[in-house]
Amino acid sequence: MEMLLSTKGITICLFFFVLSLAAAIEIPLSVSQLPTITEQSHTQVAYPFDEDFTIKCEARGNPQPTFNWTKDGKPFDLSSDPRIVTSNNSGTFVIQNRGIINNFQGKYRCFASNMLGTAMSEEIELIVPSVPKFPKEKIEPLDVEHGDSVILHCNPPKGIPPLHIYWMNIDLQHIPQDERVSMSLKGDLYFANVEESDSRSDYCCFAAFPRLRTIVQKMPMTLKVSRSNFIKERKPKLLIPPESAGSSSSVTVIKGGVLLLECIAEGLPTPHLSWVKVMGNIPKDEPETENFGKTLKIDQVTAADEGTYQCTASNPMGSASHKFHVHVEEPPQWLKKPEGGVYSVGTNLVLLCEAIGNPEPSIQWKLNGMPIDGRTFRGRISTREISLTNLQLQDSAVFQCEATNKHGTILASANINILNIAPLILTPDEENYATVVGYSAFLHCDIFASPAADVRWTKDDSIEPLSTFRYELNKNGTLEIRDTKKEDSGSYACWAANSVGKRAITANLDIRDATKLVVTPKSPRVLKSHSILLKCQAEYDSHLKHSFKLSWRKDGDELPVNSTEGGRIILDRDTLFISNVLLEDQGVYTCVASTALDAAEAEAQLIVLDVPDPPEDLQLSENQNRSVRLSWKAGASHNSPVNESIIEFEENRWEPGRWQELSRVPGNDTTALLSLAPYVNYQFRVVSVNAVGRSQPSKPSLRYATPPAAPDKNPENIRVEASEPNEMVMKWEPLKPVERNGPGLEYKVSWRQRGVETDWNEELVKKHSLSVRNVPTFVPYEIKVQAVNNLGSGPEPNVTIGYSGEDVPDAAPSGVSVEVVNSTLVKVFWFGIPRDRVRGHLKGYKVNWWKTKNMLDGKRHHPEKHFLTFVGDRNYGMIPGLEPFSEFRLTVLAFNSRGDGPESSPVVFETPEGVPEQPRFLRILNFDKDSVTLSWGLPKKANGHLTGYVLQYQIINETHEVGAVSEVSVTNRSVLSWRLAGLSPSTKYKFYIKACTAKGCGKAATEEGLTLAQGTYAGIYEGISTQGWFIGLMCAIALLTLLLLTICFVRRNKGGKYSVKEKEDLHPDPEAQSIKDEIFGEYSDSDEKPLKGSLQSLNGDIKATGSADSLVDYGEGEHGMFNEDGSFIGAYSGSKEKGSVESTGSSTATFPLHA
């Protein structure tokens, strides 16, 4: 563990460091020094289209150097020609392109001199090209015979390379070239043998000089080919190299250059050229050739390419060959160059100069640009080394070493400065530095001194040099403080001293807090096409807020600040939002924060989840009659492992194009042994499934056809259906196409009457049903169905029991009796018919009834039949919804699937009195401040003898709270109006009127109204309420309201259960009829809760009748009265729960108050 060993003002340990800095730092220009060439031109071409040509030579030194030039080794006076323009304190000159400038062509050298010595540049060649032209000449036509060899010479003019030569006709169409006709490297056109088609008068040679922007054309040449009297077949003869060169020749190539060896031959038939290396390192690959095999080309020549190459031209008549001895040479290259430097008085000097090349280069030493005279030079000099001892100030000089062979010259200069000066600190004083905690701090102290200076650093007021492992003094004088801490802040001093003098500077260091980043979420996993938001939270030093910058990178590449891909990827300072995520969005997202002093990064690995890629490369193996092995390569899982693979098949015989699931295998498996059905031409595909979803199906496999076989199974779901009594229709589920197992599928149907010893009846059918007639009515049969095809029968089938056709029952129930439960409900009993008289499967019994007389008025009624259905074999049922105080007749019959049997004899019964229906209306005829006159109508049905009316009223307001109920009994059943007195003025009341029989009171009609205020004249209202038009309007409103309520009631109950208890009004009826028949004993409406302020029953002493019957005792009826499940609606009105209040939808009369 590293420990801090110093605190402010206290320095522990001694650290002393001696540096030799002079050789590493460029000499300040303020110090006397030798000239140094800093910039020079190299080979220069004076193009005719340029306005001038600049030859550069710049140098630095103290004193300021002066410049001299030589041209071709002789002094060159820049003032000798007015077209030369020079600059002060510079060796560069400009030649203006005026007049004839050919005399400027040559090799120039620049010399920069001051009192200490002379620096010399490398040679600068200036090339002044002439404009290339073909000579004007008359070229005689060439007359040759078919088969002769011909050479058309181009002889292009000289010019600046590169040179491109083209042979074209006068229309600038290229002359076709091949093995027979080709162009040499020099540009001549060679014909190995001519044909009559070669005759033309416009063979033109074009020479292009791209650097001169010039193309020149030679005069057209004419070639005439005449037919020969004989075929001039001959063996090949080399035209290049010519026969005069002998059987071999030597070729020299520069290392790193391009080797081009050329062989062109004539002969008939046209010779074929081939190349081989016969001596030296044999290349692994055949050499590259060009120009239809006539040119061997090797780029970037190395020493390994040296050797002997042979070209051979051959045709059926013979062959000719030539050998090229290739020598690889190279221009001079440095092994060691003399190195300049700063030396102090009394030290020693050794300069080395060593170069290689082929031929071996010669070495020449120069001093200040002049050859060194060994007789006068006080040091030791050899070919590769110069040495001097006990250097003195006057030994300062520029030493040059030049290495030369026939391929070039290289120059190296070494400035030897002998100096004796006090240290110069080049870094400014009082520099301010800053870094962040944990980073390294670098405090600079660039020093130049000769002799070398001793350098040390101190902190704050201490004079002791800094130590510990965290401090390191670099060679250039810089102090490095590693792993900085807050306590490293402070003032530092750099001290430099040598034998001549000493110097010092100070530097201030501030330590800032490091920048920290966190990206959330760290490792998000997101579904493809979903969105992701990355947030980068940063902490940084407040002093660095102006330089703080934030950016995002993906996989190392910076993301642009503006939104990308049409707004799909949005960068907003510290957030990165990606909508509609794609698979290629997956990667490492890096938030990068930078300040002037540090940088920090935080990463988030975004993983994109998607359905797998479809499997690939489906292969079939292990082929068997009933199985095959399917193998595949799994597609990319997209970061969610494959859970399972679904294998599907398609067959093209029965349902082509329909893919069906065949098998499933675990996700890691990529092979499955598939069980197959016979006689199916299969094709398979695979779907991969992961947690995200299903992949697209793979491409289908090859088809695999299984051979046919006998059926493996028989039809299922065998049943008997019949529409006629003496008929039996046997039906079954046909085999699926893949279950047929072979061609010619049929069904073998066997049947016989159960319990009768007889042979089986059999029949083969192709469809999946068989009808048999003339069988006894409703007799059990044993039935078998077996699958059969051309290859055999299926397994032995199971026996199924079925019955022949039914007929309607031929007997009626007996012993029918009726038990009256209450005024609207009776219970019916009967004895069922014998089993053998049903003649089918007994479905149940029907009870029919109809009203014959009203007991109140004695009127006979036209019979309107109703019925209820009771499913199953039973002997009683409940008949609800009857009219009270009426006479009825009732019959019972049995029924089966075929229909209804005969009815029983009618039974007569009567229903007792019931409670009346609600009065037809309740109206307010007159309102006073403390009284009101009410009028009401008779009930629509009295359901018995009326005994009178009950009139009730209570105060109501706009809230749920209501007042106490007051009641008046009207015992005279003929009274239809009443005046109530003792009411409160300006008060809203609700009024109720009920009709009563000996059985009880019925539902109430209601009305609401306001009494008048004190002093209000009531006559106005009396006048209005007694007007005929007003009474008519009120009747119309009441009738319309009743109609709407009826429609709503019917719609609510249509097809639903009978509502045992209806919803309460806001201001409920203060009295509820609490008669509760025993048929509803096990049903309650738990959804209905009493409203706030609901009243207690006004007739709490009325008891409900008891019964043990439930809804299962009720049958299924007609005329919309009963639902299919036996529940009933509309005709039977159940009583309200005790304590609930019911009101009607009567209109409310509201009267305004007048002051």
Side-chain angles (χ1 to χ4, degrees), residues 706-857:
T706 53
D712 293 325
K713 63 179 296 186
N714 292 316
E716 297 176 347
N717 191 20
I718 300 170
R719 61 199 182 275
V720 176
E721 298 177 1
S723 58
E724 299 296 333
N726 301 111
E727 180 184 43
M728 181 171 64
V729 180
M730 293 167 281
K731 295 185 177 181
W732 55 89
E733 294 294 330
L735 294 183
K736 296 178 182 178
V738 295
E739 296 171 342
R740 299 188 177 202
N741 286 13
L745 178 69
E746 292 182 307
Y747 299 101
K748 179 183 177 182
V749 185
S750 304
W751 72 95
R752 68 183 179 186
Q753 189 171 335
R754 189 179 185 186
V756 179
E757 292 296 331
T758 181
D759 294 334
W760 289 91
N761 299 294
E762 293 183 350
E763 188 170 341
L764 279 172
V765 296
K766 292 185 177 180
K767 56 185 180 179
H768 51 278
S769 65
L770 174 63
S771 178
V772 179
R773 299 184 181 277
N774 300 321
V775 294
T777 301
F778 200 64
V779 173
Y781 277 83
E782 295 177 338
I783 302 168
K784 298 189 295 184
V785 181
Q786 186 178 33
V788 179
N789 65 16
N790 292 349
L791 282 87
S793 302
E796 182 64 26
N798 297 324
V799 175
T800 302
I801 304 300
Y803 285 82
S804 57
E806 300 183 29
D807 203 348
V808 296
D810 60 359
S814 60
V816 179
S817 63
V818 177
E819 177 186 322
V820 177
V821 179
N822 58 37
S823 61
T824 61
L825 178 67
V826 298
K827 190 171 186 178
V828 183
F829 299 91
W830 64 86
F831 294 115
I833 66 174
R835 188 80 176 169
D836 58 342
R837 306 295 297 275
V838 177
R839 301 203 293 178
H841 296 288
L842 178 66
K843 295 296 183 181
Y845 292 88
K846 288 183 183 178
V847 178
N848 301 296
W849 75 92
W850 58 97
K851 181 179 176 181
T852 56
K853 183 173 66 174
N854 190 316
M855 303 293 291
L856 186 63
D857 54 14

Side-chain angles (χ1 to χ4, degrees), residues 308-498:
T308 300
Y309 296 81
Q310 177 177 289
C311 75
T312 302
S314 57
N315 69 5
M317 308 303 295
S319 64
S321 62
H322 186 88
K323 293 181 179 179
F324 297 89
H325 303 292
V326 176
H327 304 282
V328 178
E329 298 185 351
E330 59 180 317
Q333 288 186 338
W334 291 118
L335 287 180
K336 293 180 181 178
K337 292 196 295 183
E339 298 290 342
V342 177
Y343 295 83
S344 57
V345 174
T347 59
N348 299 325
L349 166 69
V350 176
L351 296 178
L352 300 177
C353 182
E354 191 173 346
I356 59 170
N358 188 6
E360 184 177 351
S362 61
I363 303 294
Q364 183 183 20
W365 287 95
K366 293 183 179 181
L367 180 65
N368 294 325
M370 302 299 292
I372 298 178
D373 187 352
R375 295 170 298 176
T376 59
F377 183 64
R378 79 177 186 86
R380 295 177 59 187
I381 183 170
S382 66
T383 302
R384 298 182 179 181
E385 183 178 306
I386 284 181
S387 62
L388 281 170
T389 59
N390 191 21
L391 291 173
Q392 300 299 314
L393 295 176
Q394 59 269 23
D395 289 327
S396 294
V398 181
F399 289 85
Q400 289 99 9
C401 177
E402 219 169 31
T404 304
N405 69 8
K406 66 179 183 178
H407 298 298
T409 299
I410 54 176
L411 173 69
S413 297
N415 285 21
I416 306 302
N417 288 278
I418 292 83
L419 300 174
N420 194 41
I421 60 172
L424 293 176
I425 299 181
L426 308 179
T427 301
D429 194 12
E430 292 291 338
E431 283 277 13
N432 293 313
Y433 297 92
T435 190
V436 297
V437 173
Y439 279 60
S440 292
F442 294 89
L443 308 184
H444 300 296
C445 187
D446 292 339
I447 299 170
F448 180 81
S450 183
D454 300 330
V455 179
R456 62 192 177 102
W457 282 86
T458 61
K459 184 173 185 292
D460 296 329
D461 300 330
S462 174
I463 60 172
E464 296 297 326
L466 295 173
S467 183
T468 79
F469 295 112
R470 291 198 305 115
Y471 299 105
E472 181 177 342
L473 187 62
N474 296 330
K475 290 183 178 181
N476 60 358
T478 297
L479 175 67
E480 179 181 356
I481 307 174
R482 300 191 188 96
D483 192 22
T484 56
K485 300 176 174 57
K486 279 286 189 178
E487 50 266 31
D488 290 325
S489 297
S491 177
Y492 292 79
C494 173
W495 301 84
N498 66 4

Side-chain angles (χ1 to χ4, degrees), residues 132-146:
K133 293 181 180 179
F134 278 107
K136 291 184 179 180
E137 57 182 333
K138 183 178 180 182
I139 303 175
E140 296 295 331
L142 282 175
D143 292 320
V144 294
E145 291 185 348
H146 186 281

Side-chain angles (χ1 to χ4, degrees), residues 934-990:
L934 300 171
S935 174
W936 59 88
L938 291 170
K940 182 178 180 182
K941 289 183 180 180
N943 292 337
H945 298 287
L946 289 178
T947 60
Y949 298 90
V950 173
L951 176 63
Q952 299 170 317
Y953 59 96
Q954 64 183 150
I955 298 173
I956 62 173
N957 54 29
E958 299 303 325
T959 68
H960 295 307
E961 296 181 1
V962 295
V965 176
S966 300
E967 181 176 302
V968 176
S969 293
V970 180
T971 57
N972 188 346
R973 63 185 180 185
S974 60
V975 174
L976 296 177
S977 65
W978 196 267
R979 183 173 184 273
L980 289 175
L983 304 180
S984 301
S986 302
T987 304
K988 187 174 183 181
Y989 284 87
K990 186 169 187 177

